[in-house]
Amino acid sequence: MLPDDAPLRFHHSCTLTLKSILYIRQVARPAPASARAAGIIAFLTAHPSRGFTISELVTHLSLNIASAHATLAVLDEVGFVVRDPVHRTYRLGPALAATGFAVLEQHPAIPAAIEQAEILAGELGVEATVTAVAGRDVIFLARRGPVPRSPGVGYPGDRSPLLAPIGAVFMAWAAEKDVAAWLDRAGASGPLAAFYRSILAEARARGYTVPMPAIAAPAAIAAVKRVRADPGDEAAERHLADVLLKSEDTLLPLDGVPAAQEIVFETLAAPIFDPIGRALLSLCLTGPEHPVPVEQVLAYGRRLVQAATIATRQARGRAPGDESPFGPTA
């Protein structure tokens, strides 16, 4: 048995003690308290219209009540949450407003994207939204313009699991390992996985994806709402994956579709890149509830890509690779 400080020698004269290895392993593991705090803040962010009692948070987030009480006490002390003494409910605290302002300053792509969403909404008379990848989720950041009669998403803070076909616009420019994890999380394999990969390739060439109404069908919306209500419920995510696997035509390949053919589409989504070439945000247009010619969809797509390009450049971002329709940015 080696003592804690026994050196382990590697090539190039590198020396690492057993104690150091144990420390690194401990640091690399998820910290339960941090996970609880992040989960509570994310949940309250996704439900800004009401407060939640500690019992409700414990139920929704699958927490231990003693651990939840300790975590909320710390969050309350630093102002990240506030407790209503009468109703005994918790809401987001004002200290997070400063965090939000700092985020906008550190990620200029967000205000740039929202500005472009406002321009698109006014110009085209449709709803324009902004989303982002948040860990293993896609988070809804902002909406501008008229709200459709049957919106597929809720309000800022709502999250959906990043599993195929959700978040295809982000995966089109992602690393292969991330694409594989995206497909695997959804249980997509064989012909379906090949189809999704072909959609990602077309998105890279065209500059945007075309999610279809099936991705926002009543069964899919209900499954997403179940995941949002109980983020800790693995069965809820599995149910969502199953619903999406059974849905047909969730993403549309436009190659080869006649320009005069009419289609109903859910959204068009184009990426906004950060300075290191990651698809940080997505700028989206919500489709009308009636069929439109494919040539009009293509026109919307070109305008959307133009707006995403402007936001990318304003944020000093750059598109990865020469295959991107954006090209190098200033």
Side-chain angles (χ1 to χ4, degrees):
M1 185 78 179
L2 291 172
D4 281 350
D5 290 322
L8 301 178
R9 302 191 182 279
F10 298 86
H11 294 298
H12 308 298
S13 302
C14 292
T15 301
L16 194 63
T17 66
L18 183 58
K19 182 183 289 184
S20 299
I21 292 176
L22 293 174
Y23 174 75
I24 291 171
R25 286 179 178 172
Q26 289 172 352
V27 170
R29 293 172 183 160
S34 300
R36 286 194 297 271
I40 289 170
I41 291 175
F43 184 80
L44 294 178
T45 300
H47 301 83
S49 61
R50 54 162 293 193
F52 291 84
T53 65
I54 189 169
S55 297
E56 290 174 321
L57 291 172
V58 164
T59 300
H60 286 300
L61 299 174
S62 302
L63 300 175
N64 172 279
I65 190 164
S67 300
H69 190 276
T71 304
L72 286 166
V74 173
L75 293 175
D76 185 31
E77 185 177 351
V78 296
F80 287 176
V81 302
V82 291
R83 182 177 182 271
D84 186 319
V86 176
H87 300 96
R88 299 181 180 179
T89 55
Y90 290 88
R91 293 176 178 268
L92 295 178
L96 285 176
T99 304
F101 296 142
V103 168
L104 294 178
E105 194 168 320
Q106 293 182 12
H107 294 283
I110 296 175
I114 294 174
E115 179 184 9
Q116 290 303 312
E118 290 179 347
I119 293 172
L120 287 172
E123 177 184 326
L124 303 177
V126 300
E127 180 193 47
T129 62
V130 180
T131 64
V133 172
R136 286 166 50 84
D137 298 332
V138 176
I139 187 169
F140 180 49
L141 296 183
R143 82 155 24 109
R144 294 293 185 269
V147 178
R149 285 177 292 178
S150 302
V153 292
Y155 34 77
D158 272 350
R159 290 172 175 250
S160 301
L162 184 61
L163 54 80
I166 298 172
V169 65
F170 297 104
M171 291 297 104
W173 285 267
E176 169 56 30
K177 63 179 180 63
D178 296 323
V179 174
W182 179 68
L183 295 170
D184 184 64
R185 186 179 181 186
S189 59
L192 181 58
F195 170 72
Y196 283 152
R197 288 183 180 277
S198 70
I199 289 290
L200 301 186
E202 181 181 310
R204 286 193 298 273
R206 194 181 298 280
Y208 56 92
T209 59
V210 191
M212 299 297 285
I215 206 170
I221 291 296
V224 168
K225 286 182 177 178
R226 178 180 167 188
V227 172
R228 289 172 177 169
D230 297 290
D233 187 355
E234 294 183 4
E237 181 178 315
R238 187 68 260 158
H239 173 66
L240 172 60
D242 290 341
V243 168
L244 293 173
L245 284 174
K246 294 174 183 176
S247 301
E248 296 181 357
D249 302 326
T250 52
L251 295 169
L252 176 67
L254 289 176
D255 287 346
V257 181
Q261 181 173 327
E262 293 189 338
I263 63 170
V264 178
F265 66 95
E266 181 67 21
T267 58
L268 301 180
I272 296 172
F273 298 101
D274 68 8
I276 63 174
R278 294 176 301 184
L280 179 70
L281 305 173
S282 171
L283 185 60
C284 311
L285 292 178
T286 301
E289 297 182 351
H290 56 81
V292 296
V294 168
E295 59 185 353
Q296 184 175 340
V297 177
L298 296 175
Y300 277 166
R302 288 190 294 269
R303 181 63 185 91
L304 178 64
V305 168
Q306 182 185 50
T309 302
I310 293 171
T312 293
R313 290 177 174 171
Q314 288 178 338
R316 298 182 180 275
R318 65 175 184 84
D322 296 332
E323 76 278 5
S324 168
F326 298 100
T329 55

